[in-house]
Amino acid sequence: MRNILLLEPNYKNKYPPLGLMKLSTYYKELKDNVRFYKGDLKEFILEDIYIELEKKLNYIDDTIDWYLYKSEILQFLKTSRKSIQNDLLSSFKNNQPLIAENLKYYSNYYKKKEYLKYPKYDKVCITTLFTFYWDKTIETIEFAKGLVKEPKRNILIGGVMASVLPKEIEEATGIKPHIGLLDKAGILDDNDIIIDELPLDYSILDEIDYKYPESNGYYGYMTRGCKRKCPFCAVPTIEPKYKSYISLKDNISYVKENFGDQRNLLLLDNNVLASKDFEVIIDEIIEAGFYKGAKYIEPNWLDIAIKNLKKGINDKAYIKKSYQLLQNMLQKLKGENQQFFYDNLEEYRLLKYQTTIKENLIKVYPLIKEIYEKYRNKAPKTRYVDFNQGVDARYLTEEKVKLLAKIPIRPLRIAFDDLKIEKKYIEAIKLSAKYGITNLSNYLLYNYDDKPEDLYIRMKINVELCEELEVSIYSFPMKYIPIYGDISKNREFIGKHWNKKFIRAIQAVLNSTKGKIGRGKSFFEKAFGKNIDEFYKILYMPEPFIIYRLYFEELGITEQWWEAFNKLNPLNNYQCFQRQEKVANTRQIYAGATGSFKYI
Ligand code: B12
Ligand code: SF4
C-alpha cells in the first residue's frame, strides 16, 4: 500500500481538480492511501507532524483524549512558545517529562525542517491549470520535493500548464511533466486501467478548507479535443485528438450512489457541436435526469457522510463534512429542537471541530437522525445543464438547436471570439430564440488581434439582439492571455491594438458590472458609450472617472477633463490621430457588412 499525496497549487480556481479526482479513484482502486491537499503548505506540514506526535502521545498515555488539546499543540509546534507548553503540561498529572520531551522534539522537527529527511509519501501528484499561475505552481513543485524520495521519479505533474509548458517546467524544476490526458492504459503503472475514464472521487473535496465556487454539479466531458485549431487556444495541444462521444452515464450513477446526487450537469467540452454523435449525447443527458423542467431535491448529506464514515471511505473528509452539516443544522433549528440537538452535540464533543471524532459522530447519528431528516432542506430546485466552454456558432444547425432545446440548458453560451463570424453568430442567436432558448451568454475574446472597437461592436450586437429578440445575453469579455513562452506566465500581455490604459479601463467597467454585461441598452450605453467615439472617450478617461462616473459627471469635472484632453496637440499625439482614422475605417466596413446598425 503506497502513500499518495494529491496536490493542487493554492491558486484561486472555480472548478474542482478533475484530474486529481480521477487519480484519487485510481489509486484507491489499487488500495493505496490517498490524501488531497490545497492550501497553505506550512499548515500541511504542521498537520502531518501533529498526526505523528499524536501517535507518540497516545503511546505514552492512552487515557488522555489528545485531540482535545489539538489546537494548543499545533500552536506550540508552530511557535515553540514556552508559555503554551507550560499551559499544556499543567493539564496532565502523569508523564510530564516524557510529554514535554516529545513536544520539544516535534517543534524542533518542524522549525529545523527535519521532516525533509524523512519523506513520508511514495508519490506526489500535482495538477496544474492556467499558465499564468506559474509562480504558485513552481513553488508547489519545489515544496513537494521534500515530501518524497527520488523526486524526479516520484513527483508526477500533469494538467493544462504541464501540457503547454512542459519544457519550461522541466528547466525550472528538473522534473519532466506528463503531457496531455491519461487516456491510455499503463501510463502510470503496469495495469489496464484508463484513468481518464474513471469516475471522480468527490470525497477528496471535503478534505480541504478551500471551497470551489462551482460545486454541486456532475462534471465531465462528453467529447474531447476540437476539430479546429484556433491560434489563441491551448486545446489542440492539450487534447490533440477529437473524440466525438464519451459516455457519462456510468460515472454519473457511480457518483450518485457513492457521494450523493448532484444538482447540475457541467460539461467542459471544447466543441461539442462538432460531434457527429450530438443526438446520442443529448439523449444520454436526458436519460441521466437532465430533461426540461427537471427538479432536484438535495439528498440527506449527513446520512451519506455517516454511511461513508462507517465504510471507512475518507474519514478526514467525512468528519469535516459531518461537523459542518451538524453546525448548520444547529443554527437552523429553534427552541426545544435546538436545545435537544445542542445537548447531544455537547455530550459527544461535537461542538468544536478539533474535538469531533468519527466514533462519536457514528454514535450521535441515531439520536439526532429524525430531527435532521425532518428539518433538512428538501425544497425542489431546477436543474441546469451548462456547456461551460460555449458552443461553436459555425456548427449550430436548426436540428442541433432543436436538440439543445430539449435539455434545461442555462445559459447557452455561444462563442463570439471574432467579429468575422458575426453573421453566423447572429444566425445562431436567432435560431436559439426561435426554439425558446432565451437565456444566453457568450465569451468575447479581446486583446488578441482585435481592435478595441471590435469588442465594442460585439457587445453592442448583443445588446441590440436582446432588444430585437427579447432574450437575455450576458457577455463575458475575456482578455487574451498567451499560451506559450515567458509572456504566458503572467497576465501582463498587451495585444498589438491595445495598451495598458485601455485594458485597465475595460477592467474598471467590468469590475462595476461583476465581469458581465447584461441586457438593457441604456445601461450598456452608460457603461461603454453610445457609439465608438464615446467608447474611446471612456477608454481614455482616468480610472476614478470611470468607476465613479455619475459623481464626477455631476461635478462637471469629467467635461473639464475632456475639454483639456481634446486640446492636446494631435501632432504631438500622433497615435491618437491614427486611431481616429482607424475608427473611421472600421465603421464603414462594419456598416457595410451588416447594414443593420445604422447608428454608426
Ligand atoms: C473549465 C475551464 C475553465 C473554468 C475554470 C477551470 C477550473 N478548473 O477552475 C472557467 C470557465 C472559470 C475558466 C476560466 C478561464 N479560462 Co479556462 N478552461 C477550462 C478548460 C475547459 C478545462 C480546465 C480544467 O479544469 N480541466 C480539468 C482537467 C485538469 O481535468 P482532466 O482534463 O480530466 O485532466 C486530465 C489531464 O489534464 C491530466 N491531468 C490533470 N491533472 C493531472 C495531474 C497529474 C499528476 C497527471 C499525471 C495528469 C494530470 O490527466 C487527466 C485525465 O486524463 C480548459 C480547456 C481544456 N480543455 O483543458 C480551459 C483553459 C484552461 N482556460 C483557459 C483560459 C484562457 C481561461 C481564462 C483565462 C479566460 C479569460 N481570458 O478570462 C479564464 C481564467 C479565469 C481566471 N481564474 O482568471 C485556457 C488556458 C490558457 C492559459 N494561458 O493557461 C484553456 C486551456 C482554454 C483555451 N482555450 O486555451 N476556464
Ligand atoms: S474552436 Fe474553441 S476549442 Fe476549438 S480550437 Fe478554437 S477556440 Fe479552441
Side-chain angles (χ1 to χ4, degrees):
M1 190 192 270
R2 296 173 294 183
N3 279 330
I4 309 288
L5 174 65
L6 308 175
L7 266 185
E8 178 164 55
N10 198 18
Y11 40 62
K12 277 193 186 144
N13 54 327
K14 207 169 167 187
Y15 283 32
L18 309 191
L20 295 184
M21 290 162 87
K22 288 175 196 171
L23 281 167
S24 178
T25 308
Y26 170 73
Y27 284 116
K28 283 179 183 173
E29 239 171 63
L30 300 181
K31 305 279 178 255
D32 289 322
N33 261 331
V34 180
R35 171 145 189 221
F36 169 52
Y37 190 75
K38 176 185 177 87
D40 184 334
L41 298 170
K42 280 195 189 132
E43 296 292 327
F44 172 78
I45 293 289
L46 273 171
E47 183 73 25
D48 260 14
I49 295 178
Y50 173 80
I51 295 170
E52 291 301 311
L53 172 59
E54 203 197 66
K55 275 189 212 154
K56 291 270 163 65
L57 294 172
N58 265 319
Y59 203 67
I60 296 169
D61 188 343
D62 63 1
T63 62
I64 298 173
D65 285 331
W66 292 103
Y67 63 88
L68 298 176
Y69 303 94
K70 185 174 173 184
S71 53
E72 290 81 0
I73 295 176
L74 278 172
Q75 202 55 28
F76 175 70
L77 290 179
K78 210 193 266 186
T79 61
S80 308
R81 232 179 267 150
K82 204 92 199 128
S83 58
I84 306 176
Q85 190 190 24
N86 291 342
D87 281 355
L88 264 167
L89 290 175
S90 65
S91 321
F92 315 120
K93 281 193 203 115
N94 305 323
N95 302 314
Q96 280 199 356
L98 258 182
I99 296 169
E101 198 181 306
N102 272 283
L103 286 173
K104 198 168 152 213
Y105 174 80
Y106 280 98
S107 79
N108 275 334
Y109 192 77
Y110 173 66
K111 210 163 63 188
K112 294 185 181 158
K113 298 194 175 167
E114 293 283 320
Y115 52 83
L116 294 177
K117 290 189 200 152
Y118 310 102
K120 87 179 237 199
Y121 293 96
D122 298 300
K123 287 220 180 290
V124 180
C125 300
I126 304 171
T127 195
T128 65
L129 190 58
F130 304 118
T131 56
F132 50 82
Y133 287 148
W134 172 265
D135 289 348
K136 274 215 165 100
T137 309
I138 298 299
E139 188 191 307
T140 309
I141 299 170
E142 289 301 327
F143 168 82
K145 286 180 180 171
L147 304 175
V148 280
K149 283 186 207 123
E150 290 186 69
K152 269 195 175 178
R153 205 160 66 92
N154 293 322
I155 293 183
L156 307 178
I157 309 167
V160 174
M161 182 177 122
S163 305
V164 293
L165 298 177
K167 278 201 187 105
E168 287 85 343
I169 294 181
E170 193 177 352
E171 268 166 33
T173 65
I175 296 165
K176 211 183 176 102
H178 172 79
I179 301 173
L181 307 178
L182 294 167
D183 56 354
K184 283 177 212 70
I187 296 180
L188 300 190
D189 302 285
D190 189 14
N191 57 37
D192 54 10
I193 305 173
I194 300 175
I195 297 169
D196 194 45
E197 292 173 2
L198 293 175
L200 305 177
D201 179 0
Y202 278 67
S203 77
I204 65 167
L205 306 181
D206 289 303
E207 281 180 56
I208 54 164
D209 292 331
Y210 184 82
K211 291 277 164 266
Y212 294 94
E214 194 62 71
S215 55
N216 205 356
Y218 291 104
Y219 310 97
Y221 297 84
M222 297 195 73
T223 62
R224 277 285 195 175
C226 179
K227 288 188 177 169
R228 300 189 194 277
K229 289 198 166 31
C230 303
F232 52 82
C233 176
V235 169
T237 310
I238 311 167
E239 301 172 21
K241 266 194 212 131
Y242 190 72
K243 233 189 228 173
S244 63
Y245 169 57
I246 301 164
S247 173
L248 263 190
K249 213 167 38 194
D250 292 346
N251 285 355
I252 289 181
S253 311
Y254 175 90
V255 170
K256 189 172 173 177
E257 208 175 302
N258 290 282
F259 310 111
D261 198 11
Q262 312 289 313
R263 178 175 174 188
N264 300 323
L265 179 60
L266 288 133
L267 294 162
L268 278 60
D269 298 50
N270 307 296
N271 200 335
V272 70
L273 293 187
S275 172
K276 60 178 178 38
D277 302 311
F278 188 62
E279 192 167 354
V280 181
I281 289 174
I282 296 292
D283 286 347
E284 193 174 309
I285 292 174
I286 295 171
E287 219 181 291
F290 293 88
Y291 46 88
K292 233 179 173 162
K295 295 280 181 216
Y296 166 82
I297 297 177
E298 264 184 37
N300 185 332
W301 295 118
L302 186 61
D303 201 56
I304 294 167
I306 300 291
K307 264 188 202 141
N308 283 343
L309 277 175
K310 284 184 187 162
K311 283 191 212 158
I313 298 175
N314 206 337
D315 286 356
K316 186 174 176 13
Y318 286 111
I319 290 173
K320 203 165 181 175
K321 184 156 192 169
S322 308
Y323 168 78
Q324 276 157 2
L325 292 167
L326 290 171
Q327 295 311 307
N328 295 347
M329 181 52 81
L330 183 63
Q331 302 304 323
K332 193 176 173 185
L333 293 171
K334 295 205 170 61
E336 272 178 21
N337 285 332
Q338 193 182 44
Q339 190 60 49
F340 173 79
F341 211 79
Y342 182 91
D343 292 345
N344 276 297
L345 298 194
E346 189 180 38
E347 190 181 335
Y348 288 93
R349 292 175 175 153
L350 301 171
L351 287 169
K352 267 191 178 173
Y353 177 57
Q354 276 86 350
T355 60
T356 300
I357 56 166
K358 171 175 168 169
E359 292 69 25
N360 286 348
L361 284 165
I362 294 174
K363 276 186 207 154
V364 89
Y365 188 55
L367 309 173
I368 49 113
K369 197 173 156 176
E370 229 172 88
I371 292 196
Y372 191 89
E373 172 57 25
K374 187 167 174 197
Y375 292 99
R376 74 180 178 85
N377 190 356
K378 290 190 258 334
K381 293 173 190 148
T382 308
R383 282 189 135 166
Y384 300 118
V385 178
D386 185 2
F387 283 103
N388 170 276
Q389 296 298 291
V391 298
D392 186 337
R394 294 159 291 186
Y395 284 119
L396 199 71
T397 59
E398 191 136 4
E399 283 65 43
K400 286 181 183 162
V401 177
K402 277 190 207 163
L403 289 169
L404 280 170
K406 286 187 185 177
I407 59 171
I409 192 147
R410 186 183 156 135
L412 173 60
R413 303 173 198 269
I414 305 179
F416 193 11
D417 288 329
D418 193 327
L419 200 46
K420 282 191 204 118
I421 67 152
E422 177 204 340
K423 212 167 151 247
K424 278 275 166 207
Y425 174 77
I426 294 176
E427 263 173 43
I429 296 282
K430 289 190 170 165
L431 259 181
S432 309
K434 182 175 166 192
Y435 287 95
I437 306 176
T438 55
N439 196 314
L440 300 149
S441 169
N442 66 15
Y443 295 126
L444 306 168
L445 180 78
Y446 73 100
N447 189 43
Y448 182 59
D449 273 351
D450 54 299
K451 298 175 186 130
E453 51 267 37
D454 289 4
L455 175 65
Y456 177 84
I457 294 164
R458 283 178 289 159
M459 292 190 291
K460 184 106 184 167
I461 289 173
N462 279 331
V463 173
E464 299 278 323
L465 284 169
C466 284
E467 298 244 308
E468 185 190 329
L469 304 170
E470 294 188 3
V471 294
S472 293
I473 309 175
Y474 282 99
S475 305
F476 290 89
M478 294 270 183
K479 191 177 93 172
Y480 170 67
I481 295 157
I483 318 157
Y484 304 105
D486 279 347
I487 192 71
S488 70
K489 295 176 185 169
N490 56 49
R491 298 189 226 200
E492 308 291 304
F493 174 79
I494 309 275
K496 60 182 174 201
H497 299 292
W498 288 83
N499 59 52
K500 226 174 180 170
K501 170 72 190 80
F502 286 0
I503 301 257
R504 286 183 69 105
I506 297 286
Q507 298 296 340
V509 181
L510 292 178
N511 283 347
S512 46
T513 62
K514 295 202 175 77
K516 59 184 181 185
I517 303 134
R519 59 185 297 184
K521 194 170 172 184
S522 59
F523 175 77
F524 170 77
E525 288 182 347
K526 192 74 215 155
F528 288 99
K530 284 196 184 75
N531 50 41
I532 291 176
D533 283 335
E534 274 197 15
F535 177 57
Y536 266 98
K537 180 176 168 184
I538 293 165
L539 293 184
Y540 281 114
M541 205 177 263
E543 246 174 90
F545 290 20
I546 300 177
I547 299 166
Y548 308 106
R549 198 89 56 88
L550 275 181
Y551 176 75
F552 284 105
E553 276 176 9
E554 275 168 18
L555 287 179
I557 299 178
T558 308
E559 222 24 64
Q560 283 172 27
W561 159 77
W562 187 232
E563 274 169 31
F565 184 83
N566 280 315
K567 279 188 195 136
L568 289 172
N569 185 346
L571 291 176
N572 288 342
N573 207 339
Y574 182 62
Q575 270 190 328
C576 175
F577 208 67
Q578 267 190 326
R579 181 203 49 86
Q580 302 278 3
E581 296 226 304
K582 279 187 188 158
V583 172
N585 289 340
T586 317
R587 283 187 198 155
Q588 276 170 14
I589 294 163
Y590 180 61
T594 68
S596 55
F597 293 92
K598 304 276 182 328
Y599 55 86
I600 286 176

